[in-house]
Amino acid sequence: SELAATVRLHENMHFVGSVPAGHEIDLDSALNFGPSPMENVLLSLAGCSAMDVIAILRKQRQPVEGLEVHVRGQRRDEHPTVFTEIQLEYVIHGEDVAPAAVERAIELSRDRYCPVWAMLGQSVTITPRFRVVSSEYALTPTD
């Protein structure tokens, strides 16, 4: 299957990306109007895997109340400044979520379902980790 997208110069280094369904996203290397393209790569990885993990945990009837994926990428100094390492931290909110179920869901995302992980994983080391926190913690803002 084929996907399509377009980026259009708005002003300076601010571009607007769009897809055929009409959704738009701002891109900006100066970060004034939106994330940079490389930040979008991180968001794509985190979002792709998060969708897998939440779907798998729900299918397993795990009592998940919330999910965040924090992602960090280290880049090399020379151009092109590609990622050399990426860390994913999954924070799963819920009282009785089984850590083994979370670990398996992340493995399935990595090995079978997430195409972004499959592509990036060929050229960069991606390290996942997770923690399960209580529902009370879900009410506390995190960084």
Side-chain angles (χ1 to χ4, degrees), residues 45 48-49 52 109-110 112-121:
L45 172 61
C48 179
S49 185
D52 292 340
S109 179
R110 178 192 65 209
R112 184 181 284 174
Y113 296 115
C114 179
V116 179
W117 198 328
M119 286 191 309
L120 289 176

Side-chain angles (χ1 to χ4, degrees), residues 1 29 70 76 82 96 101 112 123 127 142:
S1 68
S29 68
H70 304 281
R76 70 181 195 175
V82 298
D96 297 310
R112 184 181 284 174
S123 61
T127 307
T142 60

Side-chain angles (χ1 to χ4, degrees), residues 7 9 23 28 51 55 57-58 87 90 95 110 112 124 136 142:
V7 293
L9 179 63
H23 303 293
D28 190 348
M51 290 176 193
L57 291 174
R58 286 175 176 163
Q87 298 86 36
Y90 301 78
E95 280 296 323
R110 178 192 65 209
R112 184 181 284 174
V124 61
E136 292 83 37
T142 60

Side-chain angles (χ1 to χ4, degrees), residues 89-142:
E89 181 191 19
Y90 301 78
V91 182
I92 296 89
H93 301 276
E95 280 296 323
D96 297 310
V97 177
V102 175
E103 187 170 9
R104 180 69 180 139
I106 293 169
E107 288 172 358
L108 285 168
S109 179
R110 178 192 65 209
D111 298 338
R112 184 181 284 174
Y113 296 115
C114 179
V116 179
W117 198 328
M119 286 191 309
L120 289 176
Q122 293 180 26
S123 61
V124 61
T125 301
I126 301 172
T127 307
R129 63 189 177 110
F130 72 91
R131 56 193 164 105
V132 178
V133 296
S134 69
S135 57
E136 292 83 37
Y137 183 84
L139 303 175
T140 306
T142 60

